[in-house]
Amino acid sequence: MRHSIYLKLATALVYADLRREEREWKRKVRRSSYELPWENIHLLKDIGIEVDGRPIGGHSEPEAVTVERRVRHLRRVLSARIVT
């Protein structure tokens, strides 16, 4: 027994609506995971952010460590080059 075209169309539309609702829900959950609690000072301090959005304490490592890492990276890149 074959189903009518209207029944097939109705089920297709229901499935499409369910997929649309699922995508909207996932988008909402994904966006909420990146929202920061700007109104709660204590949670911002737990995260490590000042009220104005800057990180607490500025730089977390000395400048000498950063420079040493950059030099090490540049040496690795230059030594890995294939001379043609």
Side-chain angles (χ1 to χ4, degrees):
M1 183 167 125
R2 299 180 67 191
H3 296 288
S4 71
I5 188 78
Y6 297 114
L7 189 58
K8 289 180 183 179
L9 179 64
T11 56
L13 291 176
V14 167
Y15 280 129
D17 189 44
L18 288 174
R19 282 193 301 266
R20 182 189 57 81
E21 287 179 359
E22 183 74 19
R23 281 195 316 266
E24 285 179 1
W25 178 78
K26 283 183 180 180
R27 186 181 311 127
K28 189 176 181 181
V29 168
R30 194 170 36 242
R31 285 183 182 173
S32 69
S33 67
Y34 290 107
E35 291 177 357
L36 292 177
W38 293 110
E39 65 279 351
N40 193 332
I41 298 169
H42 303 292
L43 284 177
L44 287 175
K45 287 191 177 187
D46 287 344
I47 295 172
I49 299 177
E50 294 284 348
V51 179
D52 57 357
R54 292 180 291 143
I56 293 177
H59 299 289
S60 60
E61 62 185 20
E63 190 175 333
V65 174
T66 306
V67 171
E68 186 178 326
R69 186 184 322 110
R70 285 182 185 165
V71 168
R72 189 170 56 242
H73 176 69
L74 288 173
R75 284 185 182 149
R76 187 180 71 238
V77 168
L78 290 175
S79 68
R81 266 193 199 164
I82 300 173
V83 180
T84 56

